Amino acid sequence: MTAPTSRAASIAPRVGPRSRRATRFIVAIAAIAALGGALFGYDTGVISGALPFMEVHFGLTSLGEGVITSALLIGAAFGSLIGGRMSDALGRRDSLLWAGAVFIGGALAVALSPTVAVMTVARFVLGLAVGSASVITPLYLSEIAPPHIRGRLVSFNSLMIVSGQLLAYLINAVLAQWEAWRWMLGLAALPAVALFVGLFFLPDTPRWYISKGRQDDAAAVLRRTLPAEDVPAELARIDRARSLEAGAQRGAWQQLRTPWVRRLLLVGIGLAAVQQITGVNAVVYFAPKILASTGLGTGAAITATIAVGAISVLATAIGMSLIDRVGRRPMLITGLAGMTVSLALLGASFHLPRSTAVSALVLCLMVLYMAFMQATLNTGVWLLLAEMFPLRVRGLAMGAAVFVMWVVNFAVALVFPVLLDLAGAGVTFWFFGAMCAVSLVFCKRYAPETKGLALEDLERELRRAAGAGEAKEAEEAEEANGAAGVEGVVPETSVR
């Protein structure tokens, strides 16, 4: 939801038939649009079950496994850059339509690929849709939802991502007995078709309509989500916020020259790298391969991976419920400490003799690691990236951080299977444990605490933390630019 100081936050739901119709409309929007998040999760998770059979079918080396897995991720990195610009030009809904079409074509192309080269290109194209959806879906949900439920809807998209991964693990387990890896990959086309068709029945967001001068269309959408008497005030608020952000974007590159802003950008990029370098997607993409290395059969390893997906969903829900009460920094620090211990024990477990008991121990430690990761670091990093940057550079800075996140994800996926073969699972997970320890020091020293602060107040606190002289200089510059008159307004996409 928006920050407490926003006037929009005062709009509360009214009980009655109109309110119930609005709720049904919003639920329908969330159910359809969040399919983009579910597809994001499915397409990143399904490779874990398909890869063991692809390895045999194509005669893949460890490097080949890494290339096929990471092709989607480098595509997603560029897709995340394309998605934001496309959504401004075409609209949020029409951009999701394009992403849905690419999801359908990409899923079918991957499933039917005759060679490794074709598979790699198809995975890259599919990644463009994944990356675009990772930007456009939360943007669409945050802009079309009423202020009083905006935070829950945006968080619902995060829950749909891990739910999509769990669905992929379940389908992998069912189809593994027939070694039907092409079906595993191709079934992603079904929810993509549902997304594509469903979007034809949804409007675009009031915010985008207003940006294109279509006030009547914006009002029509707002009348379906808010009481009629609140519509004029909400239209005026959105119009004012758009004007402020347009001015902010024009000065974004210049603002990055300010030392305290540049420092925040570096911290944000560091947090994005921390989320990936600590090994989460090595487990998401290669869990069956890891379990198979303990002596577990391929089918059993794929089935056991369901536990990883289930704990990810549960832990994400728990993290969402705790983070506003506990705070961001304590969650990050506690989570990284737990991840460090989990990975140290996981690395040690690979030095035990192979047995069913050792396979069960490895699975339990992987689940424990994922519980800490999804409940704390994953939830905390995404929220901090949405909160910590000042208005004038928020879009640019968050885009840069998300791009780095996908690039590091790509690097981990490319290198992990090679490292697994060269150094062994024990040393590989000790390396990730060491990265968790380094990340713990980084977060303890640099991660800001944003709990309970309105975004405007937070900006002033972060400026003061950079040093009194620098803060004074920044405040004077802000006053000269007339920024002092915008208090109380926050961007629609801010997550609290």
Side-chain angles (χ1 to χ4, degrees), residues 72-82 127-128 131 402-404 406-407 410:
L72 182 141
L73 306 174
I74 197 65
F78 289 102
S80 66
L81 295 179
I82 295 167
L128 294 175
V402 172
F403 177 77
V404 169
W406 279 114
V407 170
F410 159 77

Side-chain angles (χ1 to χ4, degrees), residues 51-60 113-116 181-182:
L51 207 55
F53 304 114
M54 291 165 61
E55 183 180 359
V56 175
H57 182 86
F58 291 119
L60 293 176
S113 295
T115 65
V116 172
W181 61 271
R182 292 190 185 274

Side-chain angles (χ1 to χ4, degrees), residues 8 37 49 61 72 108 122 140 147 150 173 183 194 220 237-238 246 261 308 324 357 401 410 413 484 493:
T61 63
L72 182 141
L108 295 176
Y140 181 86
R150 181 173 294 126
W183 281 96
R237 192 196 67 79
I238 294 173
V261 175
V308 174
D324 277 326
F410 159 77
T493 54

Side-chain angles (χ1 to χ4, degrees), residues 211-279:
S211 74
K212 301 301 179 184
R214 297 165 62 177
Q215 299 281 341
D216 291 343
D217 290 328
V221 176
L222 288 173
R223 281 193 289 270
R224 299 186 70 179
T225 60
L226 292 174
E229 59 268 30
D230 291 334
V231 170
E234 183 68 359
L235 280 170
R237 192 196 67 79
I238 294 173
D239 198 22
R240 185 181 178 199
R242 282 289 306 178
S243 298
L244 290 167
E245 289 180 18
Q249 289 168 2
R250 283 193 293 270
W253 286 104
Q254 185 177 358
Q255 284 292 312
L256 288 179
R257 298 176 184 173
T258 307
W260 76 274
V261 175
R262 189 166 60 244
R263 173 174 167 156
L264 271 185
L265 175 61
L266 292 175
V267 171
I269 288 173
L271 289 170
V274 161
Q275 191 197 44
Q276 296 300 320
I277 201 66
T278 46

Side-chain angles (χ1 to χ4, degrees), residues 173-200:
V174 172
L175 296 179
Q177 57 188 313
W178 296 291
E179 299 185 8
W181 61 271
R182 292 190 185 274
W183 281 96
M184 295 176 188
L185 299 169
L187 283 174
L190 294 181
V193 169
L195 172 66
F196 185 79
V197 173
L199 283 166
F200 280 103

Side-chain angles (χ1 to χ4, degrees), residues 89 132 166 169 242 252 265 304 325 373 407 435:
S132 296
L166 175 58
Y169 297 151
R242 282 289 306 178
L265 175 61
R325 286 182 284 172
M373 167 65 198
V407 170
M435 292 299 99

Side-chain angles (χ1 to χ4, degrees), residues 108-126:
L108 295 176
V110 168
L112 299 173
S113 295
T115 65
V116 172
V118 174
M119 171 76 73
T120 302
V121 173
R123 291 266 300 168
F124 174 84
V125 172
L126 188 58

